[in-house]
Amino acid sequence: MKELIAKRVAKELHDGDVVNLGIGLPTMVVNYIPDDIEVYLQSENGLIGLGPEPTGEDFDKNITNAGGQPVTLLKGGMYFDSAMSFAIIRGGHVDVTVLGALQVDEKGNLANWIIPGKLVPGMGGAMDLVTGSKKVIVAMLHTNKGVPKILKECTLPLTAKGRVDMIITEMGVMKITKEGILLAELNPEYSVEDIQRATEARLLIPDDLKPMAV
């Protein structure tokens, strides 16, 4: 299911985009970027031009993404300090941010950094990325073991308010609109009733609902 989500997210990227991929599932998107486009993967720990996960002689323990995972650096890629990295993010130069969520709601609010009472490493750069990027895509499994993660209103501490543009799960593709969450594409393995039952927020169903493009 995660591969399906990553494949669909990759279709949202365009030639020349500067893209930040969050930890976990979003990092899989790099494996499905179409060959006919070139995107520039940025990591908030100070890199642009990230390549895929190293598989052998290209492994260098000193080259990691912001999640600490080993990565490669493509030809033309570069390193810089955190001040420059966050200036890029806060200056609005990141075209697309892809990250996971604990909860997201119909107003585009995002909660993805803490469950109160549980030990976490911190918010990291998520708050800056979500508020500084031109487009924010939440890529995640549709529920947490059957418990809806797409809600009328987030109950966990927010990362940012009203910044999510799109949600992509194994069940479908949803867009945040002023009227609510629009179901734009549906995985043919599920029915509209299936995805609504797995979603607390009321989904808007268009007349031209399309099959999920992967």
Side-chain angles (χ1 to χ4, degrees):
M1 288 190 289
K2 293 181 178 179
E3 289 80 4
L4 176 79
I5 298 167
K7 284 182 181 179
R8 181 58 188 85
V9 171
K11 291 183 176 295
E12 291 297 315
L13 307 183
H14 301 93
D15 193 41
D17 279 349
V18 176
V19 180
N20 187 291
L21 301 177
I23 62 175
L25 189 159
T27 62
M28 298 169 63
V29 175
V30 69
N31 299 322
Y32 301 105
I33 295 174
D35 292 336
D36 59 345
I37 69 169
E38 184 176 10
V39 301
Y40 303 92
L41 297 180
Q42 185 262 357
S43 183
E44 59 266 39
N45 58 326
L47 298 170
I48 277 187
L50 294 176
E53 182 179 348
T55 56
E57 293 182 354
D58 54 351
F59 176 82
D60 184 333
K61 66 179 181 180
N62 295 312
I63 303 177
T64 70
N65 61 22
Q69 298 170 307
V71 294
T72 54
L73 196 64
L74 301 177
K75 184 178 181 180
M78 63 190 74
Y79 309 95
F80 35 81
D81 62 17
S82 293
M84 174 63 77
S85 188
F86 278 84
I88 291 170
I89 296 168
R90 294 172 184 174
H93 304 291
V94 175
D95 296 294
V96 182
T97 283
V98 184
L99 73 178
L102 296 169
Q103 296 177 340
V104 58
D105 69 25
E106 61 187 14
K107 296 178 182 176
N109 298 326
L110 171 68
N112 78 339
W113 71 283
I114 190 172
I115 297 175
K118 290 192 174 183
L119 182 64
V120 294
M123 187 179 288
M127 180 175 63
D128 297 89
L129 285 162
V130 175
T131 57
S133 298
K134 297 171 185 170
K135 182 175 182 178
V136 176
I137 300 174
V138 167
M140 64 178 187
L141 295 176
H142 201 90
T143 68
N144 179 12
K145 300 178 181 177
V147 178
K149 297 166 68 177
I150 304 173
L151 308 175
K152 294 179 181 177
E153 185 172 353
C154 292
T155 58
L156 294 174
L158 295 182
T159 306
K161 295 181 69 174
R163 295 298 305 175
V164 176
D165 298 293
M166 178 178 283
I167 307 167
I168 298 178
T169 75
E170 76 278 16
M171 300 186 84
V173 177
M174 290 141 280
K175 297 179 179 178
I176 306 296
T177 73
K178 292 181 180 178
E179 291 74 32
I181 300 177
L182 176 71
L183 179 62
E185 299 176 18
L186 179 65
N187 183 339
E189 294 185 9
Y190 301 94
S191 67
V192 170
E193 291 74 21
D194 289 335
I195 191 170
Q196 184 60 77
R197 277 194 294 271
T199 309
E200 183 192 85
R202 176 58 56 185
L203 296 172
L204 305 174
I205 312 300
D207 293 336
D208 62 342
L209 177 62
K210 298 178 175 61
M212 193 171 176
V214 291

